[in-house]
Amino acid sequence: METAASKLYTKKVNGVAIDRGVAFPVCVSVNDIVCNCSPLNDPEPESIAMTPLKAGDVVKFDLGCHLDGYIAVAAHTVVVKETADSPAPPEDEELAKCAVATYNAMLVAAATIAAGKTNADVTKAVDKVAKAYGVTPISSVRMHQMKRYVLDGVKEVALKEPLPDDPEEEKVPDCTFEQAEVYAVDVAMSTGDGKARPGTMRTTVFKRNVEQQYLLKVKAARQTLAEVDKKYPTMPFTMRDLTDVRAAKLGINECVAHGLLTPYPSLHDYSGKVCHFKCTVLLLPSGTARVTGLKLPEYFKTDVQADEETQKILAEIAEAEAKKAAKKAAKKRNKKKKK
């Protein structure tokens, strides 16, 4: 991914190349793993995610890149087919219902994030979709404002309101969206209880906490931190991309213990099937624009319907996308005619 990002926007400004690269490392989370699974390429027991995929596995891809510090992120859910040429993966009604609910919740949330609206408005919209489909938002997943070189901004949106008697769930501060802001619309849902927790798998994704300083004692820790400060001073990274992974394994714990690195552990929901979709939205003067994200795979189909208000919002989104596609096609035809 680093190589692919380096090929983007190669123009120079005042003779200097634009900074570009990975804003969030590629994570491939399978089945009960919700997110943040970026296994090392080694045979150690904690690298259990390196096991071969099989037909019916639910795979969640999550990644991000940046140009000059301006970040775009995306996540997508697919099901492994029997073979590459298979028309569709094995049918699973519960999984399909969860996928449709999660994807539609992402679309509705993206449309609701608009100047003047609040994070409470988005939470209510997501909760309404979840209840209509009978699935549960994963409470530990949050939507975040993004700024230049900042992946997790101060403003955030919860997928559901915390229960009064649940000490594990923390209420996010109220906020109002403003024009010219950028948000990662991150939605994960489960057919189970929606409580995702760290598992036994080794954490490999971290982010430098630039406000924290400490004189490390272990040589491997100092070596690892020096490379992080040079290559990944602000964005999350995976240990897989460090020069000496063995040294990183020895030194990373001291860095985390003293708050120099923030870990992104792999989260698991063993209670049900899990789906995850994410897109990036820009709050422009003309309205909210969704600039990343793929279409829902056609094999995710369910007879369950959303409530009338949600259906209306989805219909408006579909109509706007159809007009945009038609305009793009017409522009393409006109270019061909001129040639």
Side-chain angles (χ1 to χ4, degrees):
M1 186 176 172
E2 193 79 53
T3 302
S6 67
K7 297 177 182 177
L8 301 173
Y9 201 81
T10 56
K11 296 179 180 179
K12 293 185 178 181
V13 178
N14 297 325
V16 180
I18 294 292
D19 183 26
R20 56 199 182 278
V22 176
F24 194 82
V26 176
C27 293
V28 183
S29 306
V30 184
N31 295 330
D32 58 83
I33 307 174
V34 181
C35 57
N36 300 339
C37 180
S38 185
L40 303 177
N41 188 22
D42 62 37
E44 290 189 7
E46 58 266 38
S47 297
I48 56 174
M50 293 295 290
T51 55
L53 297 173
K54 61 183 183 299
D57 279 346
V58 183
V59 183
K60 283 81 66 179
F61 296 97
D62 190 1
L63 54 90
C65 65
H66 78 92
L67 289 176
D68 198 24
Y70 297 100
I71 304 167
V73 293
H76 199 63
T77 300
V78 299
V79 179
V80 178
K81 300 179 181 180
E82 290 281 357
T83 66
D85 298 326
S86 299
E91 291 185 9
D92 188 326
E93 175 58 31
E94 283 297 298
L95 175 63
K97 182 177 69 172
C98 184
V100 172
T102 308
Y103 188 80
N104 285 346
M106 180 193 72
L107 295 180
V108 171
T112 308
I113 295 178
K117 293 280 190 177
T118 67
N119 54 354
D121 295 328
V122 180
T123 302
K124 290 177 183 176
V126 170
D127 185 58
K128 185 178 292 186
V129 176
K131 287 179 178 176
Y133 286 94
V135 296
T136 309
I138 295 178
S139 56
S140 53
V141 175
R142 302 278 175 85
M143 305 181 202
H144 285 272
Q145 179 189 12
M146 296 189 295
K147 294 184 177 182
R148 192 182 183 202
Y149 289 109
V150 178
L151 184 69
D152 301 326
V154 175
K155 293 185 179 180
E156 60 179 351
V157 182
L159 295 187
K160 65 177 182 180
E161 287 292 337
L163 299 174
D165 57 345
D166 192 342
E168 294 184 9
E169 297 185 16
E170 182 181 350
K171 181 176 174 60
V172 303
D174 295 334
C175 68
T176 301
F177 307 121
E178 300 176 37
Q179 200 175 102
E181 291 180 335
V182 180
Y183 285 86
V185 183
D186 198 351
V187 182
M189 293 192 178
S190 166
T191 58
D193 59 18
K195 293 185 180 297
R197 296 180 175 86
T200 58
M201 193 180 303
R202 179 194 288 274
T203 298
T204 62
V205 179
F206 300 88
K207 184 179 70 172
R208 178 71 165 97
N209 183 358
V210 294
E211 297 177 354
Q212 191 71 18
Q213 300 296 325
Y214 180 81
L215 188 59
L216 295 165
K217 306 294 189 296
V218 180
K219 180 180 178 181
R222 295 196 299 272
Q223 177 183 327
T224 299
L225 188 66
E227 183 175 2
V228 170
D229 284 340
K230 182 179 179 180
K231 295 169 62 176
Y232 311 105
T234 57
M235 303 291 188
F237 65 93
T238 172
M239 288 169 59
R240 188 180 58 250
D241 291 335
L242 296 178
T243 304
D244 191 340
V245 176
R246 187 167 177 270
K249 288 179 182 179
L250 295 173
I252 209 92
N253 288 339
E254 188 184 9
C255 295
V256 172
H258 294 288
L260 301 175
L261 296 178
T262 300
Y264 285 69
S266 296
L267 299 178
H268 300 249
D269 183 344
Y270 300 104
S271 65
K273 301 179 186 298
V274 177
C275 292
H276 183 202
F277 292 97
K278 184 194 300 184
C279 67
T280 302
V281 296
L282 314 179
L283 274 63
L284 305 175
S286 57
T288 302
R290 182 160 41 92
V291 295
T292 66
L294 301 174
K295 291 185 178 180
L296 180 71
E298 294 182 356
Y299 47 75
F300 287 135
K301 296 178 181 179
T302 179
D303 294 330
V304 181
Q305 295 290 324
D307 62 279
E308 289 186 13
E309 184 179 352
T310 299
Q311 288 187 44
K312 182 180 178 182
I313 295 173
L314 293 173
E316 291 173 352
I317 294 171
E319 183 180 356
E321 289 183 346
K323 287 181 179 178
K324 185 178 179 181
K327 187 177 180 180
K328 187 176 180 180
K331 189 176 181 180
K332 191 174 181 180
R333 286 196 299 270
N334 290 337
K335 282 186 176 180
K336 285 184 177 179
K337 289 179 180 178
K338 289 180 180 180
K339 289 181 180 179

